[in-house]
Amino acid sequence: TSPGRPNKMTAQPTIGIRICPNIACRAFVFVVIDRGRLVRSFPPEVIDFDANNLPNRITATLEEAVKCHAAGCYRAASLMIRRALEEVCDDKKAAGGNLKQRIAALGSTIIIPPDLLEAADELRLLGNDAAHIEAQLYDAIEEEEVTAALDLTKELLKAVYQYNALVARLRALKKP
């Protein structure tokens, strides 16, 4: 291959326009696809979450975390996840001198599986790494870490705010 000319064996990314498959949306989506894999899209694809029964402040914070994640701003997403934890603690009146103590107190104010409570502390640590240069508990804050953190945050929010409503809905369907 001569300099300046692409090798015919090297795959080139494909750039195109698609229509959102969501019938309620149907907006144009600009995409970059390489070897059959979506590389980028605009608007970016966002992680879905159920906002039912979540306090408005927590919903807004989680939406911001999801948007940061979609834009590739992983440290910012980690900070917003940490903020969502702080807001849960505040909403549930979990007291303590710092977020670690407040998360521990959360376990005594609501019924939550111990593993999920430990996961909440991991989310706190990831947020610390995003906020503080000297914190080095995670090697990097990249897509994989933040995607897992968002998944854990969604499960935590389900346990705190949504499971009771789901159980109540099921009980309401019982015959008298």
Side-chain angles (χ1 to χ4, degrees), residues 69-135:
H69 174 270
C73 301
Y74 303 121
R75 287 184 299 222
S78 297
L79 289 170
M80 295 313 296
I81 290 168
R82 188 182 195 283
R83 181 182 174 98
L85 282 174
E86 291 181 19
E87 289 177 345
V88 169
C89 291
D90 187 55
D91 182 58
K92 295 301 178 182
K93 311 287 188 262
N98 57 41
L99 185 56
K100 181 176 181 66
Q101 293 169 352
R102 294 178 76 196
I103 290 169
L106 190 63
S108 63
T109 60
I110 61 170
I111 298 171
I112 187 168
D115 289 345
L116 204 48
L117 199 57
E118 286 179 33
D121 196 53
E122 288 297 321
L123 296 174
R124 176 190 66 84
L125 293 172
L126 185 67
N128 285 353
D129 277 7
H132 305 290
I133 294 171
E134 68 276 359

